[in-house]
Amino acid sequence: MCRLLFMCLVTSLLMFLGGCTKRGGVSITRDACNLLSKEEVESVQAAPVNETKTSEHSDEVFLVSQCFYTAAEFSKSVTLALVRSDPKQGSKRSPKDFWKEKFDPYQDEEPKTKSGDEKEQGSAPKKIEGLGDDAYWVGNRFGGMLYVLRGDAFISIGVGGTDDEDTKLKKSKALAEKALQHL
């Protein structure tokens, strides 16, 4: 009986002390829904948000956390994704590497307008100054997505609604600034 009590006490003590140590190199899993509050989305979209839905998946290189802010007026819903390295995979390819592959070719390019079938795919990425370490707006027929690099992770934000592309870009930038404060 004393032996059992001693083992329980030692096990409890080890669990307690193990939880109190700071472990270097361990990355904290981040939920994209923690980057923006419902109230922040409501203030930018001027529409109440009924709920948030979170999801997370890994493609064996990157860990992608997504949050969908469902607005009362569904067309004003917002999507936010956080992309970072998957610590369980140990891949040598980082989100920053992916960023360079996708956006560096457009670093000094002027935005171009396209016609016909090219409009379906959207225009070339437009560099956005003064946001994160690097940022691009990728327009499409539905509005577009704002991609923002910060350190070795990036976020993407898509804003719904009937606003024109410039207004959607302004709203996306406002939300990105708020999200970057929590990243």
Side-chain angles (χ1 to χ4, degrees):
M1 178 76 165
C2 287
R3 188 179 228 172
L4 181 61
L5 184 59
F6 177 74
M7 290 304 288
C8 287
L9 180 61
V10 169
T11 303
S12 298
L13 186 59
L14 288 174
M15 286 176 32
F16 176 76
L17 292 175
C20 293
T21 60
K22 188 174 185 180
R23 297 179 182 140
V26 176
S27 68
I28 299 170
T29 302
R30 296 221 180 206
D31 179 347
C33 289
N34 290 333
L35 297 178
L36 286 175
S37 70
K38 284 173 51 174
E39 293 77 19
E40 289 170 323
V41 173
E42 288 172 344
S43 71
V44 170
Q45 282 294 76
V49 173
N50 292 338
E51 67 177 324
T52 58
K53 293 181 183 176
T54 187
S55 66
E56 187 172 273
H57 72 275
S58 171
D59 66 0
E60 298 185 6
V61 176
F62 302 124
L63 192 58
V64 180
S65 174
Q66 296 175 311
C67 188
F68 187 73
Y69 298 85
T70 308
E73 185 180 331
F74 189 79
S75 68
K76 289 190 172 192
S77 297
V78 171
T79 183
L80 169 66
L82 169 62
V83 179
R84 58 201 185 290
S85 294
D86 187 342
K88 295 176 187 169
Q89 301 302 326
S91 173
K92 295 194 187 304
R93 189 166 182 236
S94 72
K96 197 178 269 190
D97 295 331
F98 175 84
W99 186 272
K100 287 178 184 178
E101 291 168 17
K102 296 299 176 192
F103 294 113
D104 273 7
Y106 302 101
Q107 189 73 26
D108 299 315
E109 189 172 306
E110 289 295 317
K112 298 175 187 167
T113 57
K114 296 183 177 186
S115 60
D117 290 338
E118 292 176 327
K119 276 192 176 182
E120 288 285 319
Q121 298 172 357
S123 57
K126 174 184 170 186
K127 185 156 179 64
I128 305 298
E129 299 293 335
L131 194 58
D133 297 338
D134 203 8
Y136 285 88
W137 171 258
V138 179
N140 60 38
R141 65 183 178 152
F142 302 109
M145 292 288 283
L146 178 64
Y147 296 88
V148 183
L149 178 68
R150 163 73 66 83
D152 201 24
F154 66 88
I155 60 173
S156 65
I157 298 177
V159 176
T162 57
D163 298 320
D164 63 20
E165 187 174 333
D166 287 338
T167 303
K168 286 184 178 185
L169 173 57
K170 287 177 188 168
K171 287 181 174 185
S172 296
K173 285 169 64 174
L175 290 171
E177 289 170 354
K178 293 174 188 296
L180 289 173
Q181 293 174 6
H182 304 286
L183 184 61

